[in-house]
Amino acid sequence: MRLDFASDNTSGMAPEALAALTQANTGYARSYGADEVSRQTADEIRKRLDADVEVRFLYSGTAANAIALSMLAWPYEAVLAHHAAHVCTDETGAPGFFGQGMGLVGLPGLSGRIDPEALQLALDVPEVGHRQPPAALSLTQATEYGAVYSVEELQALIAPVKARGLGVHMDGARLANAVAAGFDVKSLARLGVDLLVWGGAKAGAGCVEALVIFDRSLAHRIDNRLKQAGQTASKGRLLVAPLLGLLQSGQWEAGAAHANAMAMRLANGIADATPYALAHPVEANAVFARMPTPAHARLTDAGWACYRFDDGSVRFVCSWATTPEAVDDLIETLAC
């Protein structure tokens, strides 16, 4: 079974990440995140954001998202998110677990982008004692359907939320792909994002994700919270070094740009050489095709791993490691 397009999680670590890990694995260093590698990585993130932020490093995006949301909402409150967002569909109730009962309210919108009118309707729902009122908004950049919010689109969503005094979280598991598509990551501070999960795993950095805290008041006792959640790495340099390798080399952006280019190559091939229609605009590293069940089964039988998404389309995801040859092989199989 070929796993090339099953997910950007199926690729290995980028060479720059692996080299940085090997380099960090020499001598001795302070433990529990007090090491020089962690400091340098946090500084690289601050430089890209052009913001004075607190940064911590976690083992997984699920934990980072769930802990971030639990920092913005009480157990009797809820978080507004797109109904297809990872926090709603793929984290097994982790936000509610870490938030001790905190709820999630799914909102509609094309290609994973939250519809501004739907958001406003949710904000305008009368607050009563029988429902969990919203305390925060969760956004995903790039979205689960490979769409990239513009700065203006984010502003239209964040402004009414901040006007209500609510918090804003961003799941940036594929933030690198959004940046490679032209998104200005320096806009996040002025837009009013309170907490950002800076993706490392999907960018080729092993399993590390960064929790970026714009609102420093939220960082009170964050280290205690992370330790209790089992998210404090004893040998922190070895968790973080792969991300440092990507950031210092520029591969965090370059690998994402390559993945995006491979996705566009695949999308063009599907449009030109196959009978299948694209289900969503291709703006990052994911391609969604409308494919009947028998055709999907034939693709699987031919040895390609890919799965049907919750809107019924079949998803293909490119990574830093995707080759043009693999894209062309897949297009040829789809065309048969």
Side-chain angles (χ1 to χ4, degrees):
M1 183 65 68
R2 292 189 63 168
L3 300 172
D4 306 42
F5 301 94
S7 170
D8 37 10
N9 289 323
T10 62
S11 60
M13 292 170 60
E16 296 82 356
L18 196 57
L21 176 59
T22 300
Q23 183 177 349
N25 191 40
T26 58
Y28 298 87
R30 295 182 182 274
S31 54
Y32 298 107
D35 57 277
E36 183 64 13
V37 170
S38 296
R39 186 196 66 76
Q40 289 180 19
T41 309
D43 283 345
E44 287 286 341
I45 291 173
R46 293 186 186 102
K47 180 172 65 177
R48 281 166 169 78
L49 292 170
D50 192 23
D52 182 21
V53 294
E54 288 281 346
V55 182
R56 298 294 187 275
F57 301 99
L58 286 71
Y59 289 106
S60 79
T62 294
N65 284 331
I67 291 171
L69 295 181
S70 75
M71 296 163 66
L72 295 174
W74 289 100
Y76 49 84
E77 295 176 323
V79 172
L80 304 173
H82 192 277
H83 67 79
H86 206 268
V87 296
C88 292
T89 62
D90 289 283
E91 296 186 352
T92 322
F97 174 78
F98 282 98
Q100 299 180 313
M102 174 197 70
L104 293 168
V105 177
L107 301 176
L110 297 176
S111 300
R113 294 186 183 95
I114 293 173
D115 180 78
E117 292 186 6
L119 172 62
Q120 192 60 56
L121 287 173
L123 292 173
D124 291 341
V125 170
E127 186 172 323
V128 298
H130 299 278
R131 290 190 294 265
Q132 289 175 294
L137 171 67
S138 178
L139 299 161
T140 307
Q141 180 74 317
T143 75
E144 296 296 325
Y145 285 104
V148 176
Y149 283 106
S150 68
V151 171
E152 293 73 22
E153 287 170 332
L154 289 176
Q155 176 65 27
L157 296 172
I158 293 174
V161 168
K162 302 301 283 190
R164 301 286 183 104
L166 310 185
V168 177
H169 155 264
M170 177 171 284
D171 177 354
R174 295 186 176 95
L175 183 63
N177 301 99
V179 170
F183 176 68
D184 180 10
V185 75
K186 291 181 179 179
S187 68
L188 294 179
R190 63 177 172 82
L191 284 171
V193 173
D194 298 299
L195 294 165
L196 165 69
V197 176
W198 181 287
K202 290 177 170 60
C207 61
V208 61
E209 306 287 312
L211 176 61
V212 179
I213 307 171
F214 288 89
D215 181 355
R216 283 179 169 267
S217 69
L218 295 171
H220 180 61
R221 294 177 177 165
I222 183 61
D223 294 312
N224 307 77
R225 183 187 290 263
L226 295 179
K227 181 66 173 178
Q228 186 184 63
Q231 290 296 316
T232 303
S234 56
K235 298 184 179 182
R237 58 177 168 155
L238 301 185
L239 172 67
V240 179
L243 180 55
L244 179 61
L246 294 186
L247 294 173
Q248 286 187 331
S249 67
Q251 177 62 17
W252 189 78
E253 294 90 350
H258 172 79
N260 291 2
M262 292 299 98
M264 186 56 65
R265 183 186 185 105
L266 176 58
N268 290 336
I270 290 174
D272 294 341
T274 80
Y276 310 119
L278 298 178
H280 300 278
V282 179
E283 298 175 357
N285 65 321
V287 179
F288 294 81
R290 297 289 182 200
M291 187 179 300
T293 300
H296 184 205
R298 287 195 299 271
L299 184 63
T300 302
D301 291 342
W304 293 95
C306 55
Y307 76 96
R308 195 170 294 278
F309 222 61
D310 59 2
D311 71 332
S313 63
V314 176
R315 187 189 77 164
F316 305 91
V317 185
C318 300
S319 75
W320 68 269
T322 302
T323 66
E325 293 76 16
V327 173
D328 294 343
D329 286 349
L330 177 57
I331 294 170
E332 183 177 352
T333 303
L334 288 168
C336 294

